[in-house]
């Protein structure tokens, strides 16, 4: 719903979440991308750039642009990664959408690291790194292309223009609520907003972060997603009665495994769901917890050809597509059982949660901020928790959403 987007993308309800080439093997990336093409859904590249295996698979790509600008950046004179508009424009032709990664649920406010032992010539090519490498590949914890919400808005507009009108969004895991409301207020002030926001839950996992971050930092998906949706509704940027009319689409990721987990996520405000580990299960992941050691026994998270050779992309692509088809079908059956004809009609009141012995509440009551009316925050009205986060001048910091 943005006239500046001249190449809109029609998304599946379920897609592959961000996992980088380098974190995953070449054969795993090829199987996922091929499966996405087979099943007609999208594959998020993760911040490791667009590799030849993404392109060979032929699936629709969502290019995740992280703090190191892999595939869209270079090194400055101080050895720091900086954004390169010409290189971005060259690679943007392979993507359907662009996603600026502000943070992720597995490691909010933390950079990433790929051990040098895992970096092959192909990985170096995808990330625009010199080869052979002498050091681990580090992603900084923050962007250099912008440093505040206003600069972020102009960066969004720059990427939209450089990509010839493709959708540009942001990905985040909610931290301080005021950080998000400050961004939303800047969207309104500048008239520039992302076309979509991917909300990543703190449940996310990775082999590239300290356990304290992957296990304990970041707002869980249900609380983070419902807060983001409610804030955008209160700001007049989303339509709570028919989400298809919203100015900003919402994508959600965080332990989406089944059709009903999809339905619950859509009920909390999402338009689209992303999944990572469940698609890894379709590749044969056994959760050996060897992701960062280059010794994954299933060949999924290793660049060792002796181990990755055991993963057959031809066989696995069919399983990836089959998992997607069965999971989306299960979700649509739940939708039919509730009497809705579209994902856009799913409401928080359709999911009930037990909160104690003999006590149940639907999501609209459990997450009270979802009771906000469209545009209400602009009038200084709405649920108390949202108003507290919306008021950036009251010297109060809301610690929970």
């Amino acid at each position: 719903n943005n006239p500046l987007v001249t190449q809109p993308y029609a998304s599946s309800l379920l897609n592959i979440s961000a996992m980088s080439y380098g974190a995953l093997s070449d054969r795993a990336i090829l199987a996922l991308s091929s499966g996405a093409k087979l099943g007609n859904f999208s594959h998020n590249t993760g911040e490791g750039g667009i590799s030849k295996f993404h392109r060979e698979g032929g699936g629709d790509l969502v290019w995740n642009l992280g703090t190191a600008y892999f595939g869209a950046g270079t090194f400055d004179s101080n050895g720091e990664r900086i954004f390169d508009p010409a290189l971005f424009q060259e690679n943007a032709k392979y993507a359907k959408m662009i996603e600026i990664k502000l943070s992720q649920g597995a490691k909010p406010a933390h950079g990433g690291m790929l051990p040098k032992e895992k970096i092959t010539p192909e990985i170096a090519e995808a990330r625009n790194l010199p080869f052979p490498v002498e050091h681990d590949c580090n992603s900084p914890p923050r962007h250099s292309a912008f440093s505040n919400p206003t600069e972020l808005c102009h960066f969004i507009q720059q990427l939209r223009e450089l990509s010839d009108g493709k959708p540009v969004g942001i990905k985040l895991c909610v931290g301080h609520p005021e950080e998000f409301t400050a961004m939303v207020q800047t969207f309104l002030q500048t008239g520039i907003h992302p076309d979509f926001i991917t909300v990543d839950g703190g449940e996310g996992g990775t082999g590239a972060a300290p356990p304290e971050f992957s296990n304990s930092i970041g707002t869980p998906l249900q609380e983070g997603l419902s807060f983001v949706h409610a804030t955008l509704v209160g700001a007049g940027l989303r339509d709570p009665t028919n989400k298809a009319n919203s100015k900003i689409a919402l994508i959600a990721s965080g332990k989406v495994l089944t059709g009903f987990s999809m339905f619950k996520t859509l009920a909390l405000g999402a338009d689209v769901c992303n999944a990572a580990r469940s698609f890894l299960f379709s590749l044969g992941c056994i959760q050996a917890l060897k992701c960062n050691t280059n010794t994954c026994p299933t060949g999924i998270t290793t660049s060792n050809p002796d181990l990755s050779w055991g993963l057959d992309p031809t066989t696995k692509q069919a399983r990836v597509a089959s998992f997607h088809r069965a999971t989306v079908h299960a979700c649509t059956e739940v939708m039919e059982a509730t009497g809705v004809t579209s994902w856009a009609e799913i409401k928080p009141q359709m999911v009930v949660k037990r909160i104690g012995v003999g006590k149940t509440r639907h999501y609209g009551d459990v997450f009270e901020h979802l009771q906000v009316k469209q545009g209400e925050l602009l009038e200084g009205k709405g649920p108390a928790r949202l108003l507290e986060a919306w008021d950036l001048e009251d010297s109060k910091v809301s610690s929970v959403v």
Side-chain angles (χ1 to χ4, degrees):
N1 294 325
N2 185 348
L4 297 177
V5 175
T6 57
Q7 298 187 62
Y9 179 65
S11 174
S12 169
L13 288 178
L14 178 64
N15 302 283
I16 302 172
S17 194
M19 294 179 285
S20 300
Y21 172 50
L24 301 190
S25 69
D26 50 5
R27 297 171 76 83
I29 291 293
L30 179 57
L32 289 172
S33 181
S34 301
K37 180 180 181 180
L38 192 63
N40 195 28
F41 53 100
S42 69
H43 178 196
N44 191 303
T45 65
E47 64 178 307
I50 300 175
S51 71
K52 65 180 182 180
F53 304 102
H54 288 101
R55 299 194 297 269
E56 182 181 343
D60 291 344
L61 297 179
V62 177
W63 185 8
N64 181 287
L65 198 62
T67 54
Y69 309 112
F70 293 129
T74 186
F75 292 97
D76 66 9
S77 58
N78 297 318
E80 303 295 328
R81 297 287 297 184
I82 57 173
F83 178 68
D84 183 337
L87 186 57
F88 170 83
Q89 192 169 31
E90 179 183 337
N91 284 320
K93 62 187 178 184
Y94 299 113
K96 296 293 186 181
M97 301 198 299
I98 315 297
E99 179 183 78
I100 305 167
K101 194 194 87 167
L102 302 182
S103 64
Q104 69 184 86
K107 48 182 179 180
H110 198 286
M113 188 271 287
L114 183 66
K116 62 180 182 296
E117 293 79 14
K118 292 186 70 174
I119 301 176
T120 64
E122 292 81 7
I123 293 173
E125 178 189 14
R127 299 188 178 212
N128 195 31
L129 299 172
F131 190 86
V133 297
E134 298 179 357
H135 306 285
D136 297 333
C137 178
N138 291 293
S139 300
R142 61 182 297 169
H143 283 264
S144 61
F146 54 89
S147 60
N148 57 55
T150 301
E151 292 177 358
L152 168 62
C153 288
H154 292 301
F155 188 60
I156 289 171
Q157 184 61 23
Q158 180 186 15
L159 297 189
R160 194 180 286 130
E161 293 171 356
L162 288 172
S163 63
D164 293 326
K166 291 181 177 179
V168 178
I170 61 175
K171 174 182 178 178
L172 55 83
C173 178
V174 175
H176 291 303
E178 286 81 3
E179 294 174 340
F180 182 72
T181 58
M183 278 198 295
V184 175
Q185 291 182 33
T186 306
F187 298 159
L188 297 173
Q189 292 162 5
T190 62
I192 304 170
H193 59 74
D195 302 303
F196 65 92
I197 296 176
T198 301
V199 182
D200 205 18
E203 302 90 338
T206 179
E212 289 82 0
F213 277 76
S214 58
N215 294 341
S216 306
I217 308 297
T219 303
L221 179 61
Q222 290 189 351
E223 288 77 9
L225 171 61
S226 60
F227 169 74
V228 168
H229 174 59
T231 301
L232 293 174
V233 168
L237 295 173
R238 280 184 63 77
D239 186 338
T241 57
N242 186 350
K243 292 181 288 184
N245 295 328
S246 300
K247 295 180 180 179
I248 299 177
L250 282 185
I251 302 172
S253 55
K255 288 192 174 179
V256 175
L257 299 167
T258 65
F260 188 64
S261 66
M262 283 182 61
F263 186 89
K264 291 193 298 182
T265 304
L266 297 173
L268 288 171
D271 302 300
V272 171
C273 296
N274 280 355
R277 78 187 73 201
S278 50
F279 277 106
L280 293 186
F281 293 156
S282 70
L283 290 180
C285 173
I286 60 172
Q287 298 193 98
L289 304 181
K290 300 291 185 181
C291 302
N292 62 323
T293 66
N294 207 29
T295 59
C296 171
T298 63
I300 296 174
T301 62
T302 177
S303 58
N304 184 338
D306 292 336
L307 294 172
S308 63
W309 190 254
L311 194 158
D312 179 13
T314 303
T315 301
K316 298 301 184 181
Q317 67 173 342
R319 296 187 178 186
V320 169
S322 178
F323 167 75
H324 173 270
R325 181 176 60 253
T327 307
V328 172
H329 177 71
C331 180
T332 56
E333 284 198 314
V334 177
M335 290 167 57
E336 291 170 354
T338 59
V340 300
T341 59
S342 165
W343 54 269
E345 300 172 6
I346 301 174
K347 305 291 191 300
Q349 293 76 13
M350 295 177 180
V351 179
V352 176
K353 182 176 183 178
R354 179 180 290 114
I355 61 172
V357 178
K359 297 180 180 180
T360 60
R361 296 289 186 275
H362 62 66
Y363 273 179
D365 286 339
V366 174
F367 303 99
E368 296 180 359
H369 42 258
L370 289 174
Q371 298 172 14
V372 67
K373 295 180 175 60
Q374 190 171 7
E376 199 171 31
L377 289 176
L378 303 179
E379 303 171 357
K381 303 176 183 178
R385 187 174 292 176
L386 277 186
L387 284 173
E388 185 176 318
W390 187 256
D391 187 351
L392 302 178
E393 299 178 358
D394 62 359
S395 300
K396 296 180 180 179
V397 176
S398 180
S399 59
V400 292
V401 296

